[in-house]
Amino acid sequence: MPSPPSGMAWKLRFLGFPGLICACLSISVASVIRPVSDSHRSAALELFVPVDGSFRSLEEAYQALRTFQILGLERTHDISHATCPIISEILGSSSKPEDLFHALRVNSILGCQIGTQIFEDVASRLLVDIKEANSLMDFYYSVLSLLYIKQQGSSIVLLDADVIFDSIKAHGQSDGRYHYDSDNAEPSTHAAGIALETLAGVLSLADSDMDQYKIEVVKNDIVKLFDSIKSYDDGTLYFDEKRIGDTESRGPLATTASVVHGVTAFAAIVSGKLKINGDKMVGLAKFFLSIGVPGSTNDIYIQLESLSCLENNRISIPLILSFPAAVLSLSSKDHLKADVMTVFGSVAPPLTVNLVQVFSLDSEDIPILENKELQFDPENSLHYLDLLPLKVDVGKYILFFEISLHDPDHLNIYATGGHIKAVFFFTGIIKADKAAVGIFDTDAENAVALQKLDLSRDNTVSLVANHLKKMHLNFQLLTPLGHTFKPRQVFLKLRHESKVEHIFALESSAGEYKVLLDFLGLVEKFYYLSGRYDIELAVGDAAMENSFLRAIGHIDLDLPESPEKAARPPPQPIDPYLRFVPKQEISHIFRAPDKRPPQELSFAFLVLTLLPLVGFLIGLLRLGVNLRGFPSSSVPAFCSILFHGGIGAILLLYVFFWLKLDLFTTLEALGLLGDIETADSTSLRLNTTSSAFQQG
């Protein structure tokens, strides 16, 4: 009897049921290895940006210049004005070999105007430094610096090349690794790459041919060094070394790059080929390409510089088999497509791509397909294979490919990598069949009581049960070829009307999914909550193109009353988006305006208030009032006009109070007008009395 899952499944309930479907749709496929592309060019332009016309150091300046040179990019910033004076200063002073090395290799690309005499003086100092060198890095900086001077046209010859060669070789040991100096007791794989590049420089500067026996010893050391190479399951190869004591720790990227630089440089200068399996060169190329597009200036420089060495080496040029897509749809009739190029995307020689074997993860011992040749599309330079006639079903498969070169002479130039392993996902439409749901009194199935379901759409089944009943659900999943399909995630959810959810993980039995929910044993898990439960079914898998979340219907459960000590439903998570919903409108504390009377009543009241004024004017006319008694002298006349104007202003203030003003504002204005009117009336009375005395 299934029960609500605990642990991780229980926590997923709070992420939302659709999140379970999203989780099961993720496809875990090994990263597809692709050659250098425009993404690297875009990244280089973004990463290498000078500040105030120059980079922070000559080492970073060289990384930028060399990266642009490898990718065929035009320099977007001119750093010569700020960098060339620094180079001239270093070359003209008594700088140490490391500073001379960085200055000379930047100048090899930048091409500053340096006099021939300066190069000759630097070369003389370096020749002296080589004789006094003790550590491997001293030899490296001095020899490589002389090589850069030689590239400028100067005649550089090591008269005692044999002695220098032996001095460098003395830092090595029998397994191909080297010591940085005689005091360093721990050998290093990274130092081996530096030593090989330095030995190649000595051979380039030697005044005569080196003893062939010494060269063969170094070749054998290289073979021994490759015996310590490490690998991944997909054939990717790399070098690494552990940090011992206080020695500087270098990761696989720097260590592998050092070995590749040294081995390819040594192979380019000696006669004959090194006895290194070409498949190992392909494995090293896969390692650098598997990084993708690095996000730092140092990493992208190391990656591209190493790939450049592999692209133009005399051992074996690796050919990379890449796939435009590792997830193929059977319903869309996708073709399996493959492309073969060099690490920088150059066109490969004529060849054939064969699908050697195909294994399903469910049966890795028995191949389901063997020996299928991919067709070549010359228009798109792609190899393809039609999967439909091969009857490949949905799922995850391991494919093994093999590249066959048409020209036998190319076997000495290119390396194909042997059997190439790739992981593919084939997706398709999964059919849900024989789906039914019902309520039973016992475990025995009753076919009559089952209600059929169509899982291609939502259903509206209505069920009724109590705690003595059992709910039964069953269905079957079939692949496009009619085989039973077992998805990674199958969940049944019951959601109460109070939003409490219960999730059940379904298991497959005899090719069919069945679940029998005994509500008597689930009453505590359901927190004794009676009422309506919505039923949903979720099925998802990476190989399913139609993963679904379907509504089955609902069930009305009648469960017993909850005991006092029974567990309570957990608090439901608060939706974080609720903080963005509109807030409740704030009601102001001011008194709401009174209800106004009808408009007709207001006009009638206005007429009534005007009647006394009309009566007053009629009374004046009936009494025969005239204005002949109005003062004629200037001061009394002014006071009279001001007095009557104040009376009019007060009347006008009453009108504004009626229409617009509040009581406080009206009283303030009335107080001001009242004071003015009182003073004016007093002045008018005094003037009138004075005039009366004068007339008397």
Side-chain angles (χ1 to χ4, degrees), residues 101-329:
F101 166 75
H102 290 303
L104 287 169
R105 68 174 183 168
V106 172
N107 181 70
S108 66
I109 300 177
L110 202 56
C112 301
Q113 298 297 322
I114 307 296
T116 305
Q117 186 61 42
I118 295 179
F119 285 125
E120 293 179 356
D121 294 341
V122 173
S124 300
R125 297 201 306 270
L126 290 171
L127 290 172
V128 174
D129 292 335
I130 290 178
K131 295 179 181 180
E132 300 175 354
N134 292 318
S135 69
L136 180 61
M137 296 307 299
D138 289 341
F139 284 111
Y140 174 78
Y141 290 133
S142 299
V143 171
L144 270 293
S145 296
L146 289 174
L147 277 179
Y148 285 121
I149 294 176
K150 185 177 180 179
Q151 293 175 3
Q152 299 296 325
S154 299
S155 177
I156 306 296
V157 176
L158 285 178
L159 299 178
D160 49 356
D162 288 342
V163 177
I164 299 173
F165 192 94
D166 293 338
S167 299
I168 299 173
K169 186 65 179 67
H171 288 77
Q173 62 179 34
S174 59
D175 61 357
R177 295 183 296 171
Y178 277 73
H179 301 272
Y180 283 106
D181 53 60
S182 57
D183 297 333
N184 191 346
E186 300 299 336
S188 168
T189 305
H190 184 274
I194 293 176
L196 292 173
E197 192 172 359
T198 307
L199 291 174
V202 172
L203 294 177
S204 300
L205 298 173
D207 60 337
S208 60
D209 294 337
M210 187 67 61
D211 186 356
Q212 191 63 31
Y213 173 76
K214 296 180 180 180
I215 296 177
E216 291 299 327
V217 171
V218 177
K219 287 184 178 180
N220 292 331
D221 290 344
I222 293 175
V223 174
K224 295 177 182 178
L225 182 64
F226 269 78
D227 291 339
S228 65
I229 200 168
K230 299 182 180 181
S231 65
Y232 293 112
D233 293 338
D234 61 352
T236 300
L237 303 177
Y238 66 99
F239 290 93
D240 197 7
E241 57 187 3
K242 297 180 179 179
R243 181 174 182 176
I244 303 175
D246 296 331
T247 58
E248 184 179 356
S249 175
R250 292 181 175 85
L253 180 60
T255 303
T256 307
S258 176
V259 175
V260 168
H261 293 175
V263 170
T264 54
F266 192 82
I269 199 65
V270 299
S271 60
K273 293 192 65 175
L274 300 181
K275 297 179 181 179
I276 300 177
N277 192 328
D279 294 347
K280 293 186 177 180
M281 305 303 289
V282 176
L284 291 172
K286 286 183 177 180
F287 171 74
F288 291 110
L289 291 175
S290 64
I291 301 173
V293 181
S296 68
T297 56
N298 186 64
D299 289 350
I300 194 172
Y301 160 72
I302 292 177
Q303 180 197 45
L304 295 175
E305 183 69 76
S306 303
L307 291 174
S308 177
C309 294
L310 294 172
E311 178 88 351
N312 303 287
N313 75 89
R314 290 185 61 244
I315 304 171
S316 292
I317 299 176
L319 295 177
I320 303 301
L321 178 66
S322 61
F323 307 97
V327 180
L328 304 177
S329 172

Side-chain angles (χ1 to χ4, degrees), residues 432-438 440 445-447 450-453 455 471-477 492 506-507 509 512-516 537 552:
D433 195 17
K434 299 180 181 179
V437 65
F440 301 98
E445 296 184 16
N446 184 359
L450 287 174
Q451 301 185 46
K452 293 184 178 180
L453 300 174
L455 295 182
M471 189 183 81
H472 176 87
L473 172 68
N474 68 278
F475 59 94
Q476 190 177 26
L477 299 173
L492 179 69
L506 277 64
E507 299 292 338
S509 176
E512 189 176 20
Y513 283 90
K514 295 182 180 180
V515 60
L516 185 65
L537 177 66
I552 303 299

